[in-house]
Amino acid sequence: MRRFAPAVPLLAACLAAPLAPIAAQTRVPLELKPGRDLPIDAEATAKIRKYTTAPEFNSPLTDYLPASATVPAPSAVLGDVAGAPGILPYTAEVNRYFRMLEAASPRVRVISIGVSEEGRERIAVAVSSEANLQHQKENDARLAQLADPRLLKLDDARAESLITASVPVYYITGTIHSPETGAPTALMELAYRLAVDESPYIRAIREHVITLITPVVEVDGRDRMVDVYRWHLAHPKANLPRLVYWGHYVAHDNNRDAMGLTLSLSRQVLDTYLGWHAQVLHDLHESVPFLYDNTVGDGPYNAWVDPILTNEWQLFGWTNVAEMGKLGMPGVFTHGDFDTWSPGYLMFLAAMHNGVSRLYETFGNGGADTETREIPPGEASRTWYRQDPPYRSVSWSQRNNNNYEETGLLVSLAFVAENREQLLRNFWAKSKRSIAKPEREGPAAWVLPADDKRPGAQAELLRVLQLQHVEVSRADRAFTVSVPPEKKAGDTDDKDKDKDKDKDKDKNKDKDKDKDKDKALATRTFPAGSYVVRMDQPYSRAADALLDRQYWSPDDPQKHPYDDTGWSFSALFDAEAVRVPDRKVLAAPMGTVEAPFRLRGGVTGGGPVYVVAQRGDDAMFMLRYALGDATVEAATEPFRAGGRDYPRGTWLVRGIAKDVLDRASAEANVAVDAIAAPKVATRPVAKPRIALLHSWLNTQTEGWWRQRLDLLKIPYRYISTQGVAADPNLAARFDVILFPPVGVGDPLRIVSGLPMWGEPLPWKTSPETPNLGKIDATDDQRPGLGFAGLDHLRRFVEQGGLLVAVEDTAQLLIASGMAPGVRVANTKSLRVVGSVLDARFPDPKSPIVEGLGDRLSVYSAEGMSFEISRSAAGGWAEEESDRPTGRGSAQDTDAPTGRPAQPQQPPRAKVERWEARPLEVEELRHNPAVIPEALRPRTLVRFGDADELLVSGLLEHGAELARRAAVVEVPVGKGRLLLFAINPIWRGSTVGSHPLVWNAILGQATGGR
Ligand SMILES: [Zn+2]
């Protein structure tokens, strides 16, 4: 099946079709000129055609290269055309080319937007006409007023005059995902075309759009990927080393940071996007043939965006499919299996800030080799939304990929050029409706009370909102507003469902009325100093989506959520945020918090003992390590001193100079009271030596843990499973080993590693791989933890160490027999997909839950939980069974005939689902598997009750998970394991549960309990 590019193009009619033409607008001449009558770079054009594997994989927009006497083409840096086989430029080379463009053309401007975690520069490149760039400041001032309609007093007439005078900004981001390698060269060539091509089509884009380009988003990962590719060119027959590190911390998840904004790339792209008041953010990916414009994607759509945006998705997506189809390029589609629910993706920064989010998946080979690729039948089949599907088998080149990326972008830019007023009018409308949110849809505001029990976690949440460019206000005085009565999670579904079943509907209507009355009557007074996130601001939707709760119906037609279904930041940060529909809240006297949010730290008072009230947050953990050799003890009971109540776990600090403590606590934002010595029992709070353990299979999930330790400036050693396999005496170096999830399916793969056939896979610094081996290095990535490594971990714990294992690493320790009396609970129909669930503390006095109150919302990836037993073999709790067949009723006891009745067995003691049941008499007889009391596992955190279990996201058949163990402690020898079925440190979004890990670490020197 071969297709040929149509000789006669095309665009004018179709581009105008989806939108009504606007009278005031200058028409854009969109007849396509493939450049025959323009000066063409014949040599480059010949190479483009040579590197394209079939004519239909190119378009008349990109199958030639315009010539320029003054402006260098990408070959000036690449030595060949963009997308040439064998050529992948480093970040610095890409940046250098854009600076050459800038030097040679007044139509190009390069801006440094910051540096990465490893210090590599990230740039944004503006390409537009000379006039547009000359007047960019004035244009930006106009766009800024459209972005914040308060500046125009929401006046449509004034906005309209700005709209017709303005040039929109279209922001394109490349290579956030490092193995997806094509975008930088495609974007280099795109910028060159936009700068020099005089065909009417390109000129129209240049004159009516400012194209803003960040060619490499993940600059650190890009350089590592180029290293790996160059190593591959030098060792063509060997397998490539696995790209285990992309960015400094995370791999694929760098595209899940748009909520927490913990990575420099997310913050810099957002600041650039909002700083330029752009209308579109278009992120380039390369994992689906041949071009999946996932703008339309699939449901459910995010429930917080403006419907104007969801219609823009359709408009852009289907225009893209239609135009590229007409250009003769096969395999372009827009509807697919990507649901548009989570706002965690980089492109979604635009969706949450009144812009248009877009994402392409094109087809990449992960490098610049030309290869024969087989497309699975499911992706190559014709279906209603993919009438012209990709081929089943295809010879594919990086140039093909570049052709698709560039053509898709040019078609989109032309669409914006033609419909720029419509796009700006939508931008204005969305911004205005964000400000009108209190009266249009509600709520009026979110209020974070001044007296939150966890001020540190609350401060972290407020800081994230500020990074999102959300305005946070602080109430000058106490204020009272009506609020809906607090609804427990269990108040909703079951009762509503029962109600639906009820045939007497009128009665229910009355009940509803009563309910409404109750709602109207409830009021709440918030103290002075409470934080108000007003919804009458331009980025109200970003705040609303983060603070609200999510509900993904188990009956949703979408059965494969693409990512987490729940993310509620107020819940995961354990900071109370009250949704207030009452517009009176907006009249409360308040002022905007201008400075970046920080709690005030430092020492106050003049007593001999320094006291740090336990508040369960990152800052206290940070402070402990900053205090060095000072003596720190934790109160084992609440106490009162100096006229103040202090909770259990409060620190008493001695042996440190006041000025030193003052500096350290000010830097950590922790308040310290200097008071007279209180009378209270204490235990030591040490600062144990920490190791963070990673495998060579995958470092993605571990990266979020490493990032948090670095952010808090915690000293730790970063060790690998191979290092553990080689070190029989880990206890000599470490007190605590953190073993976060690996995420490779079968946990035993952590032990086995990769198969040892073939050649070694080195990950180390060498002349040909200067960017590898910096975070950690190995001569060969293949060997895993091995049985020796497992044994060394066991010995480490037996000698007194604390080993923290999470999800699959916990499974591994259980499977290897290291956690007698613990198993992963079996479930039948339970469904959890990245949900936020309720958790409780069976022993509220346990040091691990200090500062956390009496409950917590936790992140569960797939609903994992544990069961515990008092036996190393069996002894699991059994659900109550029915009585056997016999005489009497179901409640009666059977009595065999022909003999006197036997004494009745005493009823079994009630055992909670998170507990181990007492063993039966027979189980205790001569049984070496019975676990001595001191070594029994015990549950520190359990899941909530069934009717309160779901906080946010998807939960089906939650009764199977309710009340089961979520965190279990297992004494082993002199040490202990701490097994997590939840992930307490995830994507910068689970700040509320971090102290479960920090408290465990700080409690280590006491030997646990
Ligand atoms: Zn990707």
Side-chain angles (χ1 to χ4, degrees):
M1 190 167 61
R2 300 210 94 188
R3 249 168 249 117
F4 299 95
V8 189
L10 27 110
L11 289 189
C14 47
L15 275 179
L19 293 175
I22 290 133
Q25 199 170 3
T26 329
R27 298 292 302 173
V28 174
L30 286 174
E31 67 275 16
L32 192 61
K33 284 274 161 65
R36 269 175 238 104
D37 48 349
L38 303 167
I40 278 181
D41 181 333
E43 193 192 333
T45 300
K47 282 187 165 163
I48 287 172
R49 291 181 182 179
K50 181 178 161 198
Y51 300 149
T52 300
T53 59
E56 67 270 28
F57 299 143
N58 210 339
S59 77
L61 289 169
T62 53
D63 69 354
Y64 70 96
L65 198 71
S68 170
T70 52
V71 179
S75 58
V77 163
L78 301 175
D80 204 334
V81 296
I87 295 176
L88 284 188
Y90 285 109
T91 303
E93 294 174 296
V94 176
N95 292 357
R96 182 156 62 87
Y97 174 67
F98 281 104
R99 292 215 154 89
M100 288 167 71
L101 262 188
E102 180 188 36
S105 169
R107 296 167 175 173
V108 180
R109 187 182 300 165
V110 178
I111 307 99
S112 187
I113 64 170
V115 295
S116 69
E117 281 72 6
E118 296 179 5
R120 291 180 183 84
E121 188 190 22
R122 210 170 267 128
I123 60 170
V125 185
V127 191
S128 198
S129 69
E130 294 94 314
N132 285 343
L133 289 188
Q134 264 168 25
H135 300 112
Q136 189 262 329
K137 270 206 172 129
E138 297 93 296
N139 190 61
D140 185 60
R142 287 191 293 271
L143 296 179
Q145 295 174 75
L146 297 177
D148 187 352
R150 293 173 302 186
L151 301 172
L152 296 175
K153 301 198 163 34
L154 280 62
D155 183 341
D156 288 329
R158 287 173 70 190
E160 188 59 26
S161 66
L162 300 182
I163 286 166
T164 51
S166 296
V167 182
V169 179
Y170 193 108
Y171 188 14
I172 303 163
T173 47
T175 313
I176 184 172
H177 282 164
S178 305
E180 301 164 15
T181 50
T185 50
L187 293 172
M188 287 160 78
E189 191 176 278
L190 179 79
Y192 173 77
R193 290 177 188 282
L194 290 175
V196 308
D197 196 322
E198 294 299 339
S199 66
Y201 193 95
I202 303 294
R203 228 173 34 227
I205 295 171
R206 189 159 64 226
E207 284 166 9
H208 298 298
V209 183
I210 294 174
T211 305
L212 192 62
I213 298 169
T214 290
V216 185
V217 170
E218 180 47 276
V219 288
D220 298 332
R222 170 69 179 186
D223 285 3
R224 280 188 266 279
M225 180 63 205
V226 175
D227 275 6
V228 166
Y229 183 66
R230 292 191 178 192
W231 186 91
H232 157 71
L233 292 179
H235 306 78
K237 285 184 185 157
N239 285 315
L240 280 70
R242 294 161 65 93
L243 192 71
V244 284
Y245 297 96
W246 299 11
H248 190 72
Y249 292 115
V250 292
H252 196 266
D253 261 11
N254 60 7
N255 197 31
R256 301 293 185 275
D257 187 50
M259 292 188 268
L261 299 178
T262 64
L263 301 171
S264 65
L265 64 85
S266 320
R267 292 193 298 269
Q268 288 164 19
V269 167
L270 178 62
D271 291 349
T272 305
Y273 179 80
L274 295 181
W276 281 72
H277 302 100
Q279 282 63 54
V280 184
L281 178 58
H282 190 155
D283 196 29
L284 300 180
H285 292 252
E286 300 167 26
S287 62
V288 180
F290 290 136
L291 189 151
Y292 172 27
D293 175 347
N294 89 353
T295 303
V296 171
D298 198 358
Y301 278 3
N302 181 280
W304 290 264
V305 296
D306 193 312
I308 294 175
L309 169 62
T310 63
N311 297 325
E312 287 175 321
W313 287 338
Q314 306 280 342
L315 211 54
F316 270 102
W318 292 114
T319 302
N320 227 127
V321 176
E323 291 317 306
M324 292 184 75
K326 277 184 266 181
L327 292 174
M329 302 182 89
V332 178
F333 62 103
T334 183
H335 172 80
D337 55 10
F338 173 81
D339 70 66
T340 305
W341 175 245
S342 162
Y345 314 102
L346 186 80
M347 61 158 171
F348 235 77
L349 290 170
M352 286 288 123
H353 295 84
N354 302 325
V356 180
S357 54
R358 304 197 69 206
L359 190 150
Y360 278 173
E361 295 281 6
T362 55
F363 196 40
N365 289 346
D369 292 359
T370 301
E371 296 177 77
T372 299
R373 301 288 302 275
E374 298 251 322
I375 317 289
E379 291 183 43
S381 59
R382 184 157 75 96
T383 179
W384 67 267
Y385 60 84
R386 197 170 51 211
Q387 287 295 328
D388 189 355
Y391 304 169
R392 278 279 282 121
S393 176
V394 65
S395 166
W396 197 254
S397 67
Q398 171 117 313
R399 181 66 218 186
N400 293 6
N401 182 23
N402 279 194
N403 293 336
Y404 271 80
E405 287 175 317
E406 283 188 67
T407 301
L409 289 168
L410 287 170
V411 162
S412 303
L413 290 166
F415 179 71
V416 170
E418 171 79 342
N419 299 286
R420 61 192 182 279
E421 292 189 359
Q422 176 82 0
L423 185 69
L424 289 171
R425 223 167 263 127
N426 283 357
F427 180 60
W428 163 257
K430 284 182 288 182
S431 304
K432 218 173 77 171
R433 282 152 58 121
S434 292
I435 290 168
K437 194 170 167 58
E439 54 269 27
R440 284 182 68 92
E441 62 196 62
W446 287 87
V447 179
L448 286 76
D451 53 2
D452 195 289
K453 68 182 192 304
R454 294 183 64 184
Q458 183 192 61
E460 288 276 301
L461 179 56
L462 292 168
R463 204 179 52 80
V464 171
L465 291 175
Q466 285 183 322
L467 290 175
Q468 291 281 358
H469 294 246
V470 169
E471 295 165 9
V472 177
S473 305
R474 193 164 186 266
D476 301 332
R477 297 198 290 274
F479 61 94
T480 303
V481 291
S482 58
V483 290
E486 224 170 282
K487 225 182 190 184
K488 279 196 279 178
D491 284 355
T492 50
D493 307 298
D494 294 342
K495 285 177 191 169
D496 287 349
K497 263 183 197 163
D498 289 350
K499 213 190 311 167
D500 289 345
K501 282 177 203 159
D502 197 328
K503 283 170 192 164
D504 191 353
K505 280 181 184 164
D506 290 344
K507 226 184 205 174
N508 282 316
K509 266 184 199 160
D510 291 347
K511 265 191 220 162
D512 284 351
K513 266 184 209 157
D514 289 349
K515 231 182 183 180
D516 289 347
K517 226 189 263 167
D518 287 350
K519 272 183 197 172
L521 285 177
T523 62
R524 180 161 169 183
T525 299
F526 293 98
S530 291
Y531 298 96
V532 182
V533 184
R534 304 174 65 103
M535 292 291 107
D536 58 350
Q537 60 168 306
Y539 305 137
S540 60
R541 290 178 197 286
D544 196 34
L546 284 183
L547 296 174
D548 211 344
R549 291 183 177 191
Q550 293 72 46
Y551 181 75
W552 184 302
S553 165
D555 298 328
D556 193 282
Q558 174 62 269
K559 294 299 175 203
H560 304 284
Y562 196 84
D563 206 78
D564 289 346
T565 58
W567 56 80
S568 178
F569 267 38
S570 48
L572 286 175
F573 279 61
D574 198 19
E576 188 186 11
V578 184
R579 191 175 192 269
V580 180
D582 183 358
R583 299 210 293 275
K584 227 171 76 191
V585 65
L586 300 174
M590 64 181 89
T592 313
V593 181
E594 298 292 349
F597 199 88
R598 288 185 71 174
L599 287 178
R600 232 208 352 253
V603 183
T604 49
V609 177
Y610 303 114
V611 178
V612 183
Q614 176 59 257
R615 57 184 211 193
D617 63 17
D618 284 2
M620 283 188 76
F621 186 50
M622 180 178 179
L623 179 64
R624 177 62 195 95
Y625 279 85
L627 291 181
D629 293 330
T631 304
V632 182
E633 292 168 305
T636 54
E637 292 298 332
F639 65 94
R640 191 172 170 80
R644 234 193 107 173
D645 289 318
Y646 292 92
R648 174 181 295 112
T650 290
W651 291 356
L652 309 181
V653 183
R654 295 185 178 85
I656 186 168
K658 188 175 182 179
D659 60 323
V660 176
L661 177 59
D662 189 51
R663 258 198 318 277
S665 58
E667 198 187 323
N669 309 316
V670 175
V672 181
D673 302 329
I675 59 171
K679 273 197 189 115
V680 62
T682 60
R683 58 183 160 76
V685 179
K687 45 177 189 51
R689 301 161 301 167
I690 303 170
L692 181 68
L693 173 55
H694 75 90
S695 80
W696 283 102
L697 297 170
N698 198 349
T699 66
Q700 157 102 345
T701 307
E702 157 276 297
W704 293 116
W705 288 59
R706 187 156 44 90
Q707 177 197 50
R708 190 55 54 166
L709 293 176
D710 282 354
L711 285 173
L712 300 179
K713 302 181 180 136
I714 305 300
Y716 67 96
R717 285 287 301 277
Y718 187 50
I719 60 172
S720 80
T721 45
Q722 294 176 359
V724 167
D727 184 353
N729 193 10
L730 293 161
R733 294 197 289 154
F734 311 117
D735 304 305
V736 177
I737 296 177
L738 305 177
F739 197 4
V742 174
V744 286
D746 180 358
L748 283 174
R749 284 188 56 202
I750 300 165
V751 176
S752 55
L754 291 169
M756 290 303 289
W757 50 73
E759 289 180 43
L761 305 176
W763 185 270
K764 57 181 184 181
T765 312
S766 73
E768 68 192 358
T769 57
N771 300 291
L772 304 189
K774 307 284 190 201
I775 304 171
D776 199 359
T778 178
D779 290 329
D780 188 357
Q781 295 177 324
R782 295 173 301 171
L785 178 64
F787 291 102
L790 263 184
D791 197 48
H792 296 162
L793 286 177
R794 182 187 52 76
R795 205 179 303 173
F796 164 77
V797 179
E798 283 174 352
Q799 289 173 353
L802 167 65
L803 176 57
V804 178
V806 186
E807 295 176 344
D808 61 355
T809 62
Q811 269 178 293
L812 171 64
L813 299 185
I814 293 169
S816 62
M818 221 184 289
V822 185
R823 72 176 178 186
V824 174
N826 267 319
T827 56
K828 282 187 199 138
S829 317
L830 173 71
R831 221 155 65 94
V832 169
V833 182
S835 305
V836 185
L837 303 178
D838 178 62
R840 308 282 163 144
F841 312 129
D843 174 9
K845 291 188 175 184
S846 164
I848 197 181
V849 301
E850 276 171 359
L852 300 186
D854 55 6
R855 64 161 302 279
L856 191 63
S857 295
V858 296
Y859 170 79
S860 171
E862 294 176 330
M864 185 178 176
S865 66
F866 301 122
E867 287 178 85
I868 60 173
S869 152
R870 294 184 183 179
S871 167
W876 308 109
E878 286 148 31
E879 305 292 329
E880 288 280 307
S881 55
D882 287 344
R883 56 152 288 191
T885 306
R887 68 151 290 277
S889 73
Q891 283 74 39
D892 285 327
T893 309
D894 188 36
T897 52
R899 66 180 212 196
Q902 296 292 305
Q904 238 179 312
Q905 287 293 310
R908 276 187 184 167
K910 171 147 175 62
V911 177
E912 299 289 357
R913 277 181 113 184
W914 65 85
E915 293 175 335
R917 67 168 169 81
L919 296 176
E920 309 279 346
V921 172
E922 289 298 313
E923 287 172 313
L924 293 165
R925 282 184 75 228
H926 312 302
N927 182 0
V930 174
I931 304 174
E933 191 167 347
L935 298 179
R936 283 179 193 163
R938 66 170 188 150
T939 298
L940 302 181
V941 181
R942 65 156 174 102
F943 287 106
D945 296 354
D947 61 350
E948 294 180 323
L949 186 54
L950 178 63
V951 176
S952 186
L954 166 64
L955 175 66
E956 189 173 14
H957 301 292
E960 294 183 20
L961 182 63
R963 299 170 78 82
R964 287 211 185 278
V967 181
V968 169
E969 184 182 62
V970 189
V972 178
K974 291 184 201 155
R976 60 201 169 119
L977 301 178
L978 197 59
L979 306 179
F980 282 80
I982 55 171
N983 189 346
I985 304 179
W986 173 244
R987 292 181 176 173
S989 63
T990 58
V991 165
S993 56
H994 289 177
L996 293 174
V997 180
W998 309 155
N999 287 342
I1001 292 173
L1002 296 180
Q1004 170 52 14
T1006 64
R1009 306 179 182 194

